[in-house]
Structure formats: structure tokens, C-alpha cells
């Protein structure tokens, strides 16, 4: 598996982290370089982190009761 294929696979895993079933056609991302694919991964990780933080804040409100 090439580095690009690994990155695309990692993107799919991040997208499917919430129970989805996302498949990315590698041909659609073939024009992107590794740096662009890595920045997509970073963006997805940041979104996931924000979601986790938001969920934790929501859950914290129930600890008061």
C-alpha cells in the first residue's frame, strides 16, 4: 500500500469513527498530494476533538444534579 493509499484509508477510518460506512474513491483524491491529504486528516481530528469537548461539556451539566 502506498503512502497516499494509507492516508486515504486513514481519512476513511476517521470519517467512519462515528459508525458510518464511508468509502472514498482513491481516483477522486489521486490529484491531491500527501501534504493535502495530511491536512484533511488534521482537520478531521480537530473536528473530532471539538465534538468530544462539546459532548463532555454537555455531560458535565448532569454532574451538578
Amino acid at each position: 500500500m502506498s503512502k497516499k493509499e494509507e492516508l486515504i484509508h486513514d481519512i476513511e477510518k476517521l470519517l467512519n469513527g462515528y459508525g458510518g460506512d464511508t468509502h472514498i474513491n482513491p481516483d477522486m483524491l489521486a490529484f491531491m498530494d500527501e501534504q493535502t491529504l495530511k491536512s484533511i486528516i488534521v482537520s478531521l481530528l480537530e473536528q473530532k476533538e471539538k465534538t468530544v469537548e462539546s459532548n463532555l461539556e454537555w455531560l458535565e451539566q448532569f454532574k451538578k444534579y
Side-chain angles (χ1 to χ4, degrees):
M1 183 179 287
S2 74
K3 182 67 176 173
K4 237 181 179 179
E5 290 171 330
E6 288 178 26
L7 292 169
I8 292 169
H9 180 70
D10 289 344
I11 291 169
E12 285 181 330
K13 285 192 327 190
L14 285 168
L15 290 171
N16 291 329
Y18 294 104
D21 189 23
T22 304
H23 297 283
I24 298 172
N25 181 344
D27 295 335
M28 292 183 71
L29 299 178
F31 68 93
M32 294 183 184
D33 60 9
E34 287 183 20
Q35 187 59 39
T36 302
L37 294 171
K38 287 177 184 177
S39 64
I40 290 171
I41 290 171
V42 167
S43 176
L44 289 170
L45 288 171
E46 288 172 349
Q47 289 177 29
K48 190 171 188 172
E49 183 179 332
K50 286 178 187 175
T51 300
V52 169
E53 288 174 2
S54 175
N55 287 343
L56 288 175
E57 290 172 11
W58 180 79
L59 288 170
E60 283 294 319
Q61 68 183 330
F62 294 103
K63 289 176 93 175
K64 296 175 187 173
Y65 302 107

